[in-house]
Amino acid sequence: MNDVKVATDNDIRASYLPASELKVAASLLFQAYQDDPIFMDIFDADDSGYEQRLRAAIREELAAFWQAKQPILGLYLGEALVGVACINSPGRGLGSDRFWHWRLKMMLSAGYFNTRQMIEKEQIIVDSVPLEQFHMLSFIAIHPLHQQHGFGHYLVAAVNTVLEDSPESEGVAIYVTSDKYREFFKECDYQVVKEVTVGKVTGPLMIHYRNKR
């Protein structure tokens, strides 16, 4: 497990996530995204089985990231995983480019309609990014017990390190669906470039540029 070079306290470190931590990472992401408006819309939060569908989707997302060798970052406090971030490298595995086995597994676990909506959601967001080559921060989460203690800034700094190590990338994009996250990413030097509507939800598309604009 390789550490990501980022300034941290002695007990805090960021590293690429090993396979043994994927289940813990899935649990963190579920806690972070179960109330997210986008996922509540896509996976029918008002219908029974919502949590099951969302958990299945997150499992398949993490498996897809792992199989495609996309960066999955873990933030550790001592030996405990307290944060996770999933990043798509430029031009890799988003929207209609999803590989067939991911689609099949997702359809079996989350349903055809939900899978189609997930892919359409990604395509809308990707098409809205005004860059040619960029990273997409698809998921980011901090354990609920460790929020409001600066851990999110450490994790975003690790994401920025991935950007710095990829000279072909012009920046990191993220689609934000709540005001508190808009303010957080603004503090982390992300700029709002446009408002994007996905299904019934509208939120800002934000970018951290390699070269400040």
Side-chain angles (χ1 to χ4, degrees), residues 156-175:
V156 171
V159 171
N160 292 345
T161 298
V162 173
L163 170 63
E164 292 163 7
D165 290 340
S166 305
E168 77 281 9
S169 180
E170 300 170 66
V172 181
I174 185 170
Y175 180 58

Side-chain angles (χ1 to χ4, degrees), residues 36-45 50 53 57 110 113-122 198-199 201:
D36 185 280
I38 282 286
F39 292 100
M40 292 179 71
D41 183 29
I42 289 176
F43 295 106
D44 304 315
Y50 166 67
R53 290 190 295 275
F113 183 69
N114 299 132
T115 301
R116 188 181 71 181
Q117 283 190 306
M118 189 79 169
I119 294 171
E120 289 175 351
K121 163 236 176 192
E122 289 184 346
V198 179
V201 180

